[in-house]
Amino acid sequence: MAFPQNETAIIKAFGDRFRSDANPEVYRAPGRVNLIGEHTDYNLGYVFPIALEMACYVAISPSGDGTLHAYSEDFQAGFDIPVDTLLNCRPRKDWSDYVVGVAQELLKQDVRIEGANMLICSQVPIGSGLSSSAALEVSTAVALLGSQSLQPLEIAKLAQRAESQFAGMPCGIMDQYAAVFGKEGAAIQIDCRSLTHEYVPLPDAASIIAVNSLVKHELGSSAYRERVTECRAAVQDIQKIDSSVESLRDVTPEFFVQVQESISPLPRQRARHIVYETHRVVEFAAAAQAHNLQEMGKLFLASHRSMQYDYEISCEEIDFLVDTAIDLPGVYGARMTGGGFGGCTVNLVAPASVAEFANRLSSAYERRYGMRPIFYDCKPAAGAGRVNERA
Ligand code: GLA
């Protein structure tokens, strides 16, 4: 279905689906594009995402029958689960795991969940590296919470647990954190160890353009697990030299140079990406504050090459988009964003060059791969919350 563009449309879709005149509450949680700091979150380093205007919307009202009736417009599928059996549910390996996983986590925090009708509808493209799953988790959390309050950080953490423990994807905290704490006009520099953040305004002189390659290689989730394990192996090797090292966050570039020979070859290569990538986040934030677009662009490309050669999470189509983009006029830098193996690139482009950038990149990609990529002009947007006024 075409996404209802505004809350009136989603309220109408809700009324049609549940044959209800109830005036539902509508909540949203955004997708995100990570500007730099890839795979550093589960290594307790820094990340630097922006929340997007593209969001997942949930319309909700009490069902009065003790059952959670949820329907996803995107998957054209739904479920009905009595609230008192929610905690017994097992994962079904589909979109419903994000909803049920969040509901279980809320119950474990003693949040009251009443029977409800929920209509879910997302603008965040699935499998694109823009965090459609975190948008679904966090919008579900704020919708089920309603007027009950929970600290924002707790919402991000429970949404992450839903994904890692119930849906079974051992992700870091970045996506859920960005969906909760997003802010208009600013990137969020998150310290994934202390779970604190700073907002960093971005220079107007560059547009942030995400380019969807429309490919998502199956390898994605198994390779993600492998990377988590390889980073852990690197930490274990380093601990033989310095037992105070708890994660790759504790390894500075200087220290890495000293200890690298003691790390087995593949974990060493992975650790090199993480150590320098975390460092690049700090450098990128400083360059953004100094409005130094050349430097921001350079760091983008260094990050991409590191993902391509050291972390080995890129793929042919993404490399083609990056390599083509960086030769186009007005492009400061390009890199893959998100978990890897497809999805989107993110590009820093002079606003006056965006149209030419899109035309030329689109034609080149189509000539090579027979499909036209999709372009998103990304403006940093607000985090999760209620969309319509309380009646
Ligand atoms: C996925 C995960 C995040 C993060 C990124 C890579 O989006 O959900 O936690 O690890 O990959 O930076």
Side-chain angles (χ1 to χ4, degrees):
M1 137 171 185
F3 176 75
Q5 286 305 320
N6 53 41
E7 77 193 59
T8 320
I10 194 169
I11 289 172
K12 178 169 182 318
F14 178 93
D16 293 347
R17 166 60 42 191
F18 293 108
R19 297 200 181 78
S20 153
D21 300 330
N23 195 19
E25 298 181 353
V26 181
Y27 295 83
R28 76 179 266 289
R32 62 99 189 95
V33 62
N34 188 25
L35 299 189
I36 198 158
E38 223 63 79
H39 288 256
T40 43
D41 59 353
Y42 54 84
N43 289 291
L44 309 186
Y46 292 110
V47 292
F48 202 85
I50 60 171
L52 299 174
E53 282 162 359
M54 282 189 290
C56 180
Y57 288 76
V58 176
I60 187 166
S61 78
S63 62
D65 63 0
T67 293
L68 190 60
H69 306 275
Y71 186 81
S72 161
E73 287 287 343
D74 310 296
F75 292 96
Q76 298 279 298
F79 66 74
D80 307 285
I81 301 177
V83 169
D84 56 10
T85 65
L86 266 171
L87 282 172
N88 305 329
C89 289
R90 307 296 313 143
R92 298 199 316 201
K93 299 286 162 220
D94 63 17
W95 64 275
S96 68
D97 291 349
Y98 302 115
V99 178
V100 174
V102 164
Q104 288 193 350
E105 289 297 330
L106 287 168
L107 288 171
K108 290 182 201 159
Q109 303 280 309
D110 295 327
V111 169
R112 234 175 332 101
I113 297 185
E114 310 280 359
N117 293 324
M118 283 175 72
L119 183 107
I120 302 163
C121 198
S122 189
Q123 299 167 314
V124 188
I126 291 158
S128 61
L130 300 180
S131 267
S132 58
S133 56
L136 173 55
E137 290 149 14
V138 173
S139 56
T140 298
V142 289
L144 289 175
L145 272 165
S147 54
Q148 303 173 78
S149 69
L150 205 57
Q151 291 295 325
L153 181 57
E154 291 310 312
I155 299 177
K157 282 160 76 174
L158 75 85
Q160 181 208 14
R161 286 199 299 276
E163 179 147 353
S164 59
Q165 291 170 21
F166 192 75
M169 168 71 178
C171 62
I173 188 85
M174 166 168 68
D175 305 346
Q176 295 79 7
Y177 200 110
V180 170
F181 288 98
K183 184 176 154 93
E184 249 173 74
I188 321 160
Q189 183 179 344
I190 308 168
D191 178 334
C192 299
R193 168 169 272 167
S194 63
L195 296 181
T196 54
H197 62 275
E198 270 173 47
Y199 292 115
V200 181
L202 296 169
D204 297 334
S207 298
I208 299 167
I209 310 291
V211 182
N212 192 340
S213 67
L214 302 174
V215 298
K216 183 76 199 161
H217 296 288
E218 273 313 309
L219 213 57
S221 64
S222 59
Y224 193 96
R225 282 166 222 285
E226 278 165 31
R227 298 299 177 275
V228 173
T229 311
E230 288 157 356
C231 289
R232 227 176 269 144
V235 169
Q236 280 164 4
D237 284 344
I238 300 169
Q239 281 172 338
K240 290 175 197 148
I241 300 173
D242 182 342
S243 61
S244 72
V245 169
E246 287 172 0
S247 74
L248 291 176
R249 166 64 181 274
D250 296 319
V251 182
T252 60
E254 297 73 29
F255 186 54
F256 179 75
V257 172
Q258 286 168 29
V259 296
Q260 56 179 335
E261 294 307 321
S262 321
I263 313 174
S264 0
L266 195 58
R268 180 197 309 153
Q269 194 181 314
R270 307 306 189 220
R272 187 162 51 222
H273 166 73
I274 299 298
V275 167
Y276 289 93
E277 183 76 354
T278 270
H279 193 64
R280 275 190 287 270
V281 175
V282 178
E283 292 182 308
F284 189 84
Q289 261 148 352
H291 292 222
N292 186 342
L293 287 159
Q294 310 294 342
E295 179 65 13
M296 290 165 75
K298 260 198 232 156
L299 291 162
F300 255 41
L301 194 58
S303 167
H304 186 74
R305 296 296 178 226
S306 176
M307 290 190 283
Q308 184 177 2
Y309 298 118
D310 273 347
Y311 222 58
E312 295 182 293
I313 51 169
S314 188
C315 62
E316 189 196 312
E317 296 86 347
I318 289 285
D319 292 338
F320 179 85
L321 284 175
V322 167
D323 292 334
T324 309
I326 54 173
D327 285 338
L328 294 175
V331 175
Y332 296 104
R335 61 182 290 280
M336 188 189 72
T337 184
F341 302 98
C344 285
T345 63
V346 57
N347 303 262
L348 287 178
V349 185
S353 303
V354 169
E356 185 185 355
F357 163 79
N359 281 334
R360 290 179 60 179
L361 191 57
S362 186
S363 322
Y365 193 72
E366 190 176 17
R367 266 199 309 279
R368 178 76 169 258
Y369 295 107
M371 51 191 169
R372 291 179 89 76
I374 301 174
F375 292 78
Y376 313 103
D377 192 344
C378 302
K379 306 254 186 295
R386 182 155 177 194
V387 176
N388 57 354
E389 291 301 310
R390 221 149 271 216

